Structure formats: structure tokens, C-alpha cells
């Protein structure tokens, strides 16, 4: 049995619930709902586990602020002995236009504080990322940090459901691809 850890990045509390920075939480909530499961909350994180096609899928929402996402990620990765290559982090990405969703393996953090903390705690950049494009503020406009802490505008909200479904499809494809690679490498 293979264990995967899928981490959704966001900030706790109603104040941040519908902000661009919380798209990771939104995607994980929808993924859990599609599996018919709910999150268990602790003081530091919300998590749940689901058996998917014979493998264990651990879903994690760190409940400390974004820049402290690494500790909860490290805790669950260590608990279930999940290597970085079997971790997927769902994040907001200002370097992609709104609605563009891309997978990436490893690489830099592009200034994303949640990713920086995960890299620091795991000691590696070699985890997978699902980068959900939220766009950037217009030149000369607000700071990026203020932009990502704003709610999605009405036009973006109208597209969110279909984009979240696309994200879930990309997550499922990631799990299938990586399961096949792991089984091939280990001759399971």
C-alpha cells in the first residue's frame, strides 16, 4: 500500500475563507467532499485519510498561518513515513494568470512563504506542487501580499467550481501516475 500526502495551503479563520491565498483549503475541502469524508481538527492542523484504489490518501490543511505550514506537513509525513516525492502541495500561484493550473516537481518557492516553510521543515524542495493561478495585481496597484489576501472577485467566483473540479482531476492523475511509477520502481 502506498501513502500519499496532499497538503492544501491557506490561512485559518473566516476572515481568510474565500481569499485567493486559501485556494489550497478550497480544493482540499472539495476533494474530501468528493471522497465522502470530513476533516478532523486539532489545534495545529485538520486532516483525514481515505483509501483510494488500494492506496492511502492523507489530506492535510495546516491550521496555523500560511508561513507556518511546514510543521504540520513534516508531522504527517513523518507519522506515515511519506517521502517528499509522494507529497503534493496545493498552492495559490501569483506567477500564473487566474484559472491556469499547473503541476510542478521541486524547484524554488518564488517567495511563497508557505512553500518556504515546508521546504525548511522537510529539508528538500523535491515535493510536488499543484499551482493554482490567481494572477497578480495590476502594475502600480496594491502589493502582492494584499492582493492574495483579498476575496476572489465575482467573475473569478463564477469560474471557481469548474477550476476546483479541474484541480481534483489533476490530483487524481498525479496519484495514478505516481502510483504507477512507484510500483514500477519497487516491482510491487
Amino acid at each position: 500500500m502506498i501513502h500519499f500526502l496532499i497538503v492544501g495551503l491557506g490561512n485559518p479563520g473566516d476572515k481568510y475563507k474565500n481569499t485567493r491565498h486559501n485556494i489550497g483549503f478550497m480544493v482540499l475541502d472539495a476533494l474530501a467532499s468528493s471522497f465522502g469524508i470530513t476533516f478532523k481538527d486539532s489545534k495545529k492542523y485538520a486532516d483525514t485519510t481515505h483509501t483510494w484504489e488500494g492506496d492511502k490518501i492523507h489530506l492535510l490543511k495546516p491550521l496555523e498561518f500560511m508561513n507556518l505550514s511546514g510543521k504540520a506537513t513534516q508531522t504527517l509525513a513523518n507519522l506515515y513515513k511519506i517521502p517528499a516525492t509522494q507529497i503534493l502541495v496545493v498552492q495559490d500561484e501569483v506567477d500564473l494568470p487566474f484559472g491556469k493550473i499547473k503541476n510542478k516537481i521541486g524547484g524554488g518557492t518564488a517567495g511563497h512563504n508557505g512553500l518556504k516553510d515546508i521546504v525548511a521543515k522537510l529539508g528538500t524542495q523535491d515535493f510536488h506542487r499543484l499551482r493554482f493561478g490567481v494572477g497578480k495585481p495590476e502594475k502600480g496597484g496594491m502589493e502582492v501580499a494584499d492582493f492574495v489576501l483579498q476575496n476572489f472577485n465575482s467573475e473569478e467566483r463564477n469560474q471557481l467550481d469548474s477550476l476546483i473540479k479541474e484541480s481534483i482531476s489533476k490530483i487524481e492523475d498525479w496519484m495514478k501516475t505516481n502510483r504507477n511509477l512507484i510500483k514500477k520502481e519497487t516491482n510491487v
Side-chain angles (χ1 to χ4, degrees):
M1 178 180 307
I2 299 168
H3 289 258
F4 292 105
L5 175 57
I6 303 172
V7 181
L9 296 185
N11 283 310
D14 288 339
K15 176 180 177 182
Y16 302 104
K17 186 176 182 178
N18 296 309
T19 65
R20 293 176 179 94
H21 221 22
N22 271 36
I23 192 63
F25 280 11
M26 292 177 203
V27 170
L28 254 65
D29 286 338
L31 182 60
S33 179
S34 76
F35 288 153
I37 56 177
T38 56
F39 285 93
K40 302 173 296 222
D41 289 354
S42 74
K43 290 184 180 181
K44 302 289 182 188
Y45 56 86
D47 72 312
T48 189
T49 301
H50 177 69
T51 301
W52 182 78
E53 296 186 10
D55 297 322
K56 289 286 186 184
I57 310 302
H58 306 276
L59 305 181
L60 170 67
K61 296 190 309 185
L63 295 181
E64 296 186 275
F65 284 97
M66 177 77 71
N67 60 347
L68 301 174
S69 299
K71 186 166 178 146
T73 303
Q74 178 188 39
T75 298
L76 260 64
N78 289 345
L79 179 65
Y80 297 110
K81 297 173 178 53
I82 302 171
T85 56
Q86 291 166 224
I87 297 173
L88 174 72
V89 176
V90 182
Q91 64 166 102
D92 59 303
E93 178 60 67
V94 297
D95 289 332
L96 292 175
F98 175 79
K100 187 82 169 169
I101 303 166
K102 292 179 108 178
N103 287 77
K104 178 181 179 181
I105 302 170
T109 62
H112 194 292
N113 290 328
L115 291 177
K116 284 181 186 177
D117 196 53
I118 292 171
V119 167
K121 297 296 188 292
L122 293 179
T124 183
Q125 298 176 343
D126 295 335
F127 53 89
H128 297 252
R129 298 110 193 254
L130 182 73
R131 302 163 61 218
F132 190 106
V134 295
K136 287 184 179 178
E138 294 180 23
K139 287 216 186 265
M142 69 178 71
E143 295 292 319
V144 170
D146 295 329
F147 178 76
V148 296
L149 292 176
Q150 283 191 327
N151 288 347
F152 287 100
N153 65 38
S154 60
E155 185 180 322
E156 293 167 337
R157 280 193 308 271
N158 288 337
Q159 299 174 56
L160 272 181
D161 284 344
S162 64
L163 292 170
I164 289 172
K165 285 178 186 169
E166 180 182 339
S167 298
I168 290 171
S169 178
K170 286 185 178 287
I171 291 169
E172 290 172 346
D173 289 345
W174 173 80
M175 290 186 297
K176 288 175 187 172
T177 299
N178 283 288
R179 178 184 57 216
N180 291 339
L181 286 173
I182 292 165
K183 288 184 177 184
K184 187 176 181 180
E185 289 172 0
T186 59
N187 296 318
V188 175

